[in-house]
Amino acid sequence: MTELFTVLTPLEAWRRLREHLQPRADPEHIATQDALDRVLAAPLSAPHVLPTFPRATVDGYAVRAADTYGASASLPAYLRLAGEVAMGQSASVQLGPGQAVVVHTGGMIPPGADAAVMVEHTQTMDGQDIEVYRPVAMGENVIQIGEDVRASQALFPVGHRLRPQDIGGLLALGLTQVEVARRPRVAILSQGDEVVPPEKMPGPGQVRDVNSYTLAALARRAGGEPLLHWEIRPDHLEAVQTAAREARAQADLVVFTAGSSVSVRDMTAQVIGGLGAPGILVHGVSVKPGKPTILAVCDGKPVFGLPGNPVSAMVIFQLFVAPAIALFLGTEAPPERKTPALLARNVASQTGREDYVPVRLAQRGSETWAEPVFGKSNLIYTLVRADGLVQIPLDSNGLSEGEMVEVRLF
Amino acid sequence: MTELFTVLTPLEAWRRLREHLQPRADPEHIATQDALDRVLAAPLSAPHVLPTFPRATVDGYAVRAADTYGASASLPAYLRLAGEVAMGQSASVQLGPGQAVVVHTGGMIPPGADAAVMVEHTQTMDGQDIEVYRPVAMGENVIQIGEDVRASQALFPVGHRLRPQDIGGLLALGLTQVEVARRPRVAILSQGDEVVPPEKMPGPGQVRDVNSYTLAALARRAGGEPLLHWEIRPDHLEAVQTAAREARAQADLVVFTAGSSVSVRDMTAQVIGGLGAPGILVHGVSVKPGKPTILAVCDGKPVFGLPGNPVSAMVIFQLFVAPAIALFLGTEAPPERKTPALLARNVASQTGREDYVPVRLAQRGSETWAEPVFGKSNLIYTLVRADGLVQIPLDSNGLSEGEMVEVRLF
């Protein structure tokens, strides 16, 4: 089966997967205050203007701007006090010419007034009149009706990921419920005769399952809901086929993190190949580490065969699974945190292959250096000791010591 | 009361708060697989080495390296097959001189062998012997016992924030429970006669509570647990005092997001001032927007009086509350996402004041530009329309169009 496939570049591989996917975000309604980092499944527009009444932005007096023209410390404008607008209440007074009304920051500007003067630029006289020492322009120190949000204004498009201020903005308009994309379910199937669950003491020749939980955490970060309840199956075809069919039925995406031996890899390919049409689309990607990757679509659901070693699995997850989760959310993968750094030593690569090198950041004086962590990619602690990955592009045969690189932080 | 305080720079203000705080992370035990982004409350070291047995990194044959020296395609080394090590099982054979044992990637290297040859560099003869076409060095294609993690090796210090691969790394060692810092509880008290809950239709002169929910989301992002169950109290001193005392008793940090009028601000200062010793430490910070900020410590707990308008509240939260939450986690605030951009227009500032300007990112050809969003800071949608903030440092009197700036992304 492997012979039918040629190794593709990451971009070619992604395009081939993408063209066989018609993901649809599945909407659900949740409380806006619980919607941080969730992705909108429907566009939102304003149910009403904001603010709904003209508001003072200062503590002071609502006035007619024209009444203050030319006012100065030596020649103040004299205005007659005509009441006060209490906070949280409607203005009960109508402001006439030559009048001033006490207003508080955020309070309503009464009808008849078109500006506010700051209390600092005034003095009260006898309790009946005030002196104004500076002119204000029309609209000064006032937020107009609809200045924050206009009527029926479009607020957010489909696919927008909600940030803290967005939640505040929606609640300001009384939008206490939002329609968001359900978190795509990501089934993670680990297999291999040598793999035991973390709570078990491995026997001779056995190791604990590492990849499932690393991948589950990555899936959660990407906005998905990991499903891990498939037992680690012994390497027998039928058991794996049954688990795979269950996973495909229950999840939106299926990720195999296979045992590392060639027999298990071959079986994974066989299981994915039999899981639904069109089946395997990519078998082998020009990425190091991560070449023996399988990308498939089975009955409309993306299925990934990730390499068994931890570094490869993480690289391939970020390259293909995280963007696929984003497709099911109707958005793009959340932007990575990146930082520039100077490469601490030469790193060789091959043209035609995209390399990902784990690096550790080190501060040397005012400079940040990226020191490659040259552990084998079979070692989980190679990733634990690293702060991020440096990409060596497809068309490069390596990077030089002292070169400025961009580190994709974990 | 206000008169006693002079406006401090953000750094001075933070230092004054910091020196009155002795935060202690409160530990709790949780399942490692649920510990993504949690902060360790105790250092962790390895309970055992990893791997616990020598493992093959290739599919092929375990051999003695010396038996392959000088092997080539024209002059292969001949080795006698002495069995197979099944995946997940102990090696039952002892390898003698001139022998080879079938091994799979990740499988155990049998005693007596010191290297592995890849199957691609061999050929089986009669089922009894193999030809080896390339020599291997001692240790080649083998992960040694303890190569990933040494015995008792320090794994993570206190204060480490767990990433996906860290979770995998801990589970690889059977550490299924971890001691992490409890999320600090952040009480958020909103007050103001004009403020109604989001689900209520505001009457004339009223507005919905925006800040509480924006700040709750920011607290969650910073690793805290927001407590919002204090009702929005009318602006009466005793009611606010009672709520404040309850909040201080139940939470680790208390945040007031006050109504915007000067009377409410004064009352907030009075309430915080009476909440415990030493009380108010900072009243006024040279930040725009955000100057009328109160920082206090009351009976060991930090108390924050945030300005009422949304942009100020967010800026001040990130400057002081997020780092204080990190202190209670025993770590530093999670690094912000940043991106470089060209400033799209001149922005004036004052020397001696740190300014934060909301900007929107715009792509022009291959360049990213930061366009200032010049909405009033009373408008929540000023923040909704922005992608991040640009800082204008204390010692600068502004930034120029075309200047390269760093945008702190929301």
Side-chain angles (χ1 to χ4, degrees):
Chain A
M1 164 167 285
T2 315
E3 291 71 23
L4 294 171
F5 296 93
T6 52
V7 169
L8 299 185
T9 68
L11 187 61
E12 289 166 346
W14 171 253
R15 285 195 178 138
R16 190 172 293 185
L17 179 71
R18 181 71 190 83
E19 95 203 353
H20 286 86
L21 281 178
Q22 281 94 33
R24 245 169 31 99
D26 216 357
E28 62 178 348
H29 287 84
I30 62 168
T32 304
Q33 59 171 299
D34 298 328
L36 181 64
D37 294 326
R38 298 296 296 267
V39 175
L40 287 178
L44 283 173
S45 56
H48 60 71
V49 299
L50 208 65
T52 54
F53 56 92
R55 304 182 73 187
T57 64
V58 295
D59 292 301
Y61 299 93
V63 298
R64 297 185 177 207
D67 289 343
T68 68
Y69 290 167
S72 66
S74 56
L75 200 70
Y78 291 87
L79 299 176
R80 169 64 46 111
L81 269 180
E84 173 173 352
V85 181
M87 286 303 288
Q89 295 192 17
S90 197
S92 55
V93 284
Q94 160 91 28
L95 191 110
Q99 291 187 333
V101 165
V102 175
V103 287
H104 308 282
T105 306
M108 190 184 286
I109 295 285
D114 57 20
V117 290
M118 293 173 77
V119 68
E120 293 89 329
H121 302 148
T122 66
Q123 188 133 350
T124 49
M125 308 286 290
D126 44 15
Q128 294 233 315
D129 296 280
I130 61 164
E131 288 185 340
V132 176
Y133 303 120
R134 280 204 206 166
V136 283
M138 252 179 66
E140 195 169 333
N141 300 324
V142 175
I143 303 174
Q144 305 295 343
I145 292 174
E147 187 174 336
D148 201 353
V149 177
R150 297 186 314 277
S152 309
Q153 185 179 322
L155 299 174
F156 302 103
V158 172
H160 180 76
R161 205 180 285 268
L162 293 169
R163 304 163 301 167
Q165 65 265 49
D166 301 336
I167 290 174
L170 292 173
L171 292 174
L173 290 162
L175 298 165
T176 54
Q177 294 269 319
V178 280
E179 194 176 343
V180 296
R182 178 176 58 70
R183 295 185 198 279
R185 289 185 280 261
V186 184
I188 296 167
L189 287 91
S190 186
Q191 45 162 330
D193 277 324
E194 78 278 26
V195 183
V196 301
E199 63 275 14
K200 241 188 103 176
M201 177 59 72
Q206 295 183 327
V207 293
R208 293 195 182 89
D209 185 15
V210 167
N211 280 357
S212 293
Y213 300 94
T214 301
L215 297 174
L218 288 170
R220 200 168 278 130
R221 274 212 176 154
E225 184 197 333
L227 302 182
L228 279 168
H229 54 84
W230 286 274
E231 302 265 309
I232 295 161
R233 306 274 173 160
D235 287 349
H236 295 106
L237 184 61
E238 275 180 42
V240 179
Q241 281 172 328
T242 305
R245 279 193 298 266
E246 277 176 32
R248 195 209 47 204
Q250 292 176 33
D252 300 295
L253 305 91
V254 179
V255 175
F256 283 87
T257 164
S260 47
S261 66
V262 74
S263 59
V264 172
R265 288 207 308 270
D266 286 350
M267 188 171 64
T268 303
Q270 192 183 342
V271 169
I272 296 177
L275 207 53
I280 296 178
L281 303 167
V282 177
H283 199 151
V285 183
S286 54
V287 173
K288 187 188 173 189
K291 187 178 169 194
T293 291
I294 294 172
L295 306 183
V297 172
C298 304
D299 286 352
K301 293 184 178 173
V303 180
F304 304 86
L306 264 49
N309 79 58
V311 185
S312 311
M314 191 159 180
V315 165
I316 296 300
F317 189 97
Q318 296 298 69
L319 271 176
F320 299 110
V321 188
I325 291 173
L327 284 180
F328 278 85
L329 287 166
T331 189
E332 287 174 11
E336 294 175 283
R337 287 191 304 113
K338 293 175 186 175
T339 195
L342 297 158
L343 193 62
R345 48 171 290 184
N346 295 335
V347 183
S349 176
Q350 271 174 25
T351 309
R353 195 181 70 192
E354 201 167 276
D355 282 22
Y356 289 89
V357 181
V359 296
R360 187 175 25 221
L361 295 177
Q363 212 60 33
R364 303 185 193 164
S366 65
E367 294 173 344
T368 305
W369 286 77
E371 299 172 346
V373 179
F374 280 114
K376 291 170 181 143
S377 58
N378 321 53
L379 308 180
I380 177 71
Y381 278 82
T382 299
L383 283 174
V384 169
R385 291 181 193 114
D387 296 308
L389 295 170
V390 169
Q391 189 213 61
I392 307 178
L394 214 58
D395 57 2
S396 160
N397 57 10
L399 299 173
S400 304
E401 185 183 329
E403 204 166 322
M404 183 60 79
V405 293
E406 195 170 63
V407 179
R408 305 168 177 213
L409 298 170
F410 293 134
Chain B
M1 166 167 284
T2 315
E3 292 72 23
L4 295 172
F5 297 92
T6 52
V7 169
L8 301 185
T9 67
L11 188 61
E12 290 165 348
W14 170 253
R15 285 196 179 137
R16 191 171 294 184
L17 179 72
R18 182 68 190 87
E19 95 204 353
H20 288 85
L21 279 179
Q22 281 95 33
R24 246 169 31 98
D26 216 358
E28 64 179 345
H29 287 84
I30 62 168
T32 303
Q33 59 173 297
D34 298 328
L36 181 63
D37 294 327
R38 298 297 295 269
V39 175
L40 287 178
L44 283 174
S45 56
H48 60 70
V49 298
L50 207 65
T52 53
F53 56 91
R55 303 182 73 187
T57 64
V58 294
D59 293 300
Y61 299 93
V63 299
R64 297 183 175 206
D67 289 343
T68 67
Y69 290 167
S72 67
S74 56
L75 202 69
Y78 291 86
L79 299 175
R80 169 64 47 110
L81 269 180
E84 174 173 351
V85 180
M87 286 303 287
Q89 296 192 14
S90 195
S92 55
V93 283
Q94 160 91 27
L95 190 110
Q99 290 187 332
V101 165
V102 175
V103 287
H104 308 283
T105 305
M108 189 185 287
I109 296 285
D114 57 22
V117 290
M118 292 173 77
V119 68
E120 293 89 329
H121 302 149
T122 65
Q123 187 134 352
T124 49
M125 307 287 291
D126 45 14
Q128 294 232 315
D129 296 278
I130 61 164
E131 286 185 342
V132 176
Y133 303 119
R134 279 203 208 170
V136 283
M138 252 177 68
E140 196 169 333
N141 300 324
V142 175
I143 303 175
Q144 304 295 343
I145 291 175
E147 187 172 338
D148 202 352
V149 177
R150 296 187 314 279
S152 309
Q153 184 177 323
L155 299 174
F156 303 104
V158 171
H160 180 75
R161 206 179 284 270
L162 293 169
R163 304 164 299 169
Q165 66 265 49
D166 301 337
I167 291 174
L170 292 173
L171 292 174
L173 289 161
L175 298 164
T176 54
Q177 294 269 319
V178 279
E179 195 176 342
V180 296
R182 178 177 58 72
R183 295 184 198 279
R185 289 184 279 263
V186 185
I188 296 166
L189 286 91
S190 187
Q191 45 162 330
D193 277 324
E194 78 278 26
V195 182
V196 300
E199 62 276 14
K200 242 189 101 175
M201 176 61 69
Q206 296 183 327
V207 293
R208 293 194 181 89
D209 185 14
V210 167
N211 280 357
S212 293
Y213 300 93
T214 301
L215 297 175
L218 287 171
R220 200 167 279 131
R221 272 210 179 158
E225 184 196 333
L227 301 183
L228 279 168
H229 54 84
W230 285 275
E231 301 265 309
I232 296 162
R233 306 274 173 160
D235 285 350
H236 295 106
L237 185 61
E238 276 180 39
V240 180
Q241 282 173 327
T242 305
R245 278 193 298 266
E246 278 177 30
R248 195 209 46 204
Q250 292 176 33
D252 300 295
L253 305 91
V254 179
V255 175
F256 283 88
T257 164
S260 47
S261 67
V262 74
S263 58
V264 173
R265 289 207 306 269
D266 287 350
M267 189 173 62
T268 303
Q270 192 182 343
V271 169
I272 295 177
L275 207 54
I280 296 178
L281 304 168
V282 177
H283 199 151
V285 183
S286 52
V287 173
K288 187 189 174 190
K291 187 177 168 193
T293 291
I294 294 171
L295 306 183
V297 172
C298 304
D299 287 351
K301 293 183 178 173
V303 180
F304 304 86
L306 264 48
N309 80 58
V311 184
S312 311
M314 191 160 179
V315 165
I316 296 300
F317 188 97
Q318 296 296 70
L319 270 177
F320 299 112
V321 188
I325 292 173
L327 284 181
F328 279 84
L329 286 166
T331 189
E332 288 174 12
E336 294 175 284
R337 285 190 305 112
K338 294 176 185 174
T339 195
L342 296 158
L343 193 61
R345 48 170 291 183
N346 295 336
V347 183
S349 177
Q350 271 175 25
T351 307
R353 195 181 69 194
E354 200 167 277
D355 283 22
Y356 288 89
V357 181
V359 296
R360 188 176 21 224
L361 295 177
Q363 212 60 32
R364 302 186 193 165
S366 65
E367 294 172 344
T368 305
W369 287 77
E371 298 172 347
V373 178
F374 280 115
K376 292 173 179 140
S377 58
N378 321 55
L379 308 179
I380 175 71
Y381 278 83
T382 299
L383 284 174
V384 170
R385 291 182 192 113
D387 295 310
L389 296 169
V390 169
Q391 188 214 60
I392 306 179
L394 214 58
D395 57 3
S396 161
N397 58 9
L399 299 173
S400 305
E401 185 182 330
E403 203 166 322
M404 183 61 81
V405 293
E406 195 170 63
V407 179
R408 302 166 180 217
L409 298 170
F410 293 134

